[in-house]
Amino acid sequence: MLCREKEYFEIINQIYQKVIHEENIGETANYIPELSKIDGEKFGVSLLFIDQLQFGFGDYQEKFSIQSISKVLLLALVYGEIGEKIWERVDVEPSGTPFNSLLQLESDKGIPRNPFINSGALVVCDILIGICDNPKEYFLNFIRKVSGNNTIQYSDKIAESEFTTAYRNAALTNFLKSLGNIHHSPNEVLDLYVHICSIEMTCLELSKTFSFLANKGKNLFDHQEILSNSQTKRINAIMQTCGFYDESGEFAFRVGLPGKSGVGGGIVAIMPKHYIVSVWSPKLNSKGNSYRGMKFLEEFTTATEDSIF
């Protein structure tokens, strides 16, 4: 281990021990029954450098539902397939409203503010349905390719649990349909959406899966190009401005890295050309982001003095 990387190991260890012994505020995502059953005290961290050195702490090898983190991978797949045409149906602006809000859609004439709020991801799901015959299989194969892991799988139990309580997302899908920005069956779109959100990974697997976004669009393990350098830059930019719903500005202010959160308690953040760090802790703050995850990453980038700014 190089001197600088050894320093990172020691910094992460110190912050992990500090955070795990402090108050753990928040609640698990109780509006999704299966997620409400997860032990809120779980806490894992994984750091993967682009030279493929990696280390982890705590529950970093335990699988969890990555939820909205998968929206980045959905965007990467569809953006890679259709290019700039994607921006005709979804914008790239911060929302300033909760991730499942209907308020802006009518005034914005059915164009979601960005692809990471629920309405935006639903539109990207609709686009994917129009690209291929079996979108669930197509997306899963993409995930397996970018992760280098053929064991990655949907959780049917979590997808079913989410689908049975998806009243708000059903409303969003039907509203988008009425405004002309959903072209396929709303039920088909919603079914694809909940399955994409049900993907399960460990912190380590999550870091490996997002490695192409830290490496100019190429996988670390086989150097296969997933996206162009320009497309990679654009997705990282959207993560920076829109990756944490209406707490995105706060994350940029306190952490200073592109990242994406999910209501399963996961967060992945990227220091381009250097590393990928993934954190999992299921208790969420009032904005729907992992309480410990946000706290850990703020202290981590403060200690390392890392930032894209």
Side-chain angles (χ1 to χ4, degrees):
M1 188 182 298
L2 298 176
C3 181
R4 180 63 171 155
E5 291 166 343
K6 183 178 180 181
E7 183 182 350
Y8 274 84
F9 180 92
E10 293 171 350
I11 287 170
I12 289 180
N13 185 39
Q14 289 172 5
I15 297 172
Y16 181 88
Q17 295 302 327
K18 178 178 182 289
V19 172
I20 202 171
H21 288 103
E22 293 179 341
E23 187 177 16
N24 186 19
I25 301 171
E27 296 181 354
T28 56
N30 52 27
Y31 59 91
I32 300 174
E34 282 300 314
L35 294 186
S36 69
K37 300 175 184 177
I38 305 299
D39 181 358
E41 297 306 312
K42 294 288 185 180
F43 184 26
V45 178
S46 174
L47 182 68
L48 174 65
F49 291 95
I50 62 169
D51 65 4
Q52 299 194 53
L53 176 71
Q54 67 83 25
F55 40 80
F57 296 87
D59 302 303
Y60 76 102
Q61 295 192 80
E62 184 169 336
K63 286 186 180 291
F64 63 93
S65 178
I66 69 171
Q67 289 291 309
S68 287
I69 296 173
S70 64
K71 294 173 183 175
V72 180
L73 303 169
L74 172 67
L75 175 62
L77 170 58
V78 174
Y79 191 19
E81 290 282 346
I82 71 170
E84 302 305 313
K85 287 179 62 179
I86 191 172
W87 310 125
E88 295 173 7
R89 293 183 58 186
V90 62
D91 210 338
V92 294
E93 295 294 333
S95 65
T97 58
F99 56 85
N100 58 0
S101 173
L102 289 93
L103 293 176
Q104 292 172 332
L105 279 175
E106 188 163 22
S107 61
D108 291 344
K109 300 180 180 178
I111 304 297
R113 286 285 173 97
N114 66 71
F116 297 154
I117 54 176
N118 291 14
S119 57
L122 287 162
V123 168
V124 181
C125 283
D126 185 67
I127 297 172
L128 180 58
I129 291 170
I131 289 174
C132 56
D133 293 331
N134 190 335
K136 281 191 279 192
E137 180 180 353
Y138 200 75
F139 179 75
L140 189 59
N141 288 338
F142 176 75
I143 295 292
R144 291 173 171 176
K145 179 177 75 171
V146 298
S147 66
N149 185 346
N150 287 327
T151 70
I152 299 294
Q153 188 55 271
Y154 297 119
S155 169
D156 290 331
K157 184 184 291 186
I158 291 175
E160 183 180 353
S161 178
E162 189 164 354
F163 192 86
T164 57
T165 58
Y167 308 115
R168 189 84 171 191
N169 285 330
L172 283 167
T173 311
N174 282 283
F175 194 35
L176 286 161
K177 180 77 171 179
S178 75
L179 293 169
N181 204 8
I182 291 290
H183 299 168
H184 300 91
S185 159
N187 277 345
E188 185 181 6
V189 172
L190 189 56
D191 180 65
L192 176 59
Y193 173 86
V194 298
H195 275 85
I196 284 173
C197 290
S198 79
I199 288 281
E200 292 184 309
M201 293 187 193
T202 68
C203 288
L204 178 56
E205 289 168 343
L206 190 59
S207 293
K208 288 180 177 178
T209 302
F210 273 70
S211 67
F212 71 98
L213 291 174
N215 193 41
K216 298 182 178 181
K218 296 180 180 179
N219 279 336
L220 294 185
F221 45 88
D222 63 6
H223 305 291
Q224 182 178 359
E225 183 172 282
I226 306 301
L227 294 174
S228 70
N229 193 23
S230 175
Q231 289 174 322
T232 302
K233 178 192 74 173
R234 293 182 189 280
I235 289 184
N236 281 335
I238 301 171
M239 283 200 293
Q240 181 69 68
T241 57
C242 307
F244 294 80
Y245 314 120
D246 51 336
E247 199 174 14
S248 296
E250 187 79 3
F251 187 82
F253 178 72
R254 296 189 178 278
V255 178
L257 298 178
K260 184 72 189 81
S261 64
V263 297
I267 297 177
V268 62
I270 292 163
M271 183 65 181
K273 304 179 185 178
H274 292 284
Y275 59 73
I276 311 95
V277 57
S278 298
V279 186
W280 172 51
S281 183
K283 285 190 176 181
L284 309 177
N285 65 20
S286 61
K287 301 291 187 179
N289 298 311
S290 170
Y291 175 80
R292 277 179 169 170
M294 298 286 280
K295 187 176 183 62
F296 174 88
L297 288 167
E298 178 183 359
E299 297 204 16
F300 172 68
T301 55
T302 298
T304 59
E305 299 183 350
D306 288 336
S307 170
I308 64 165
F309 300 110

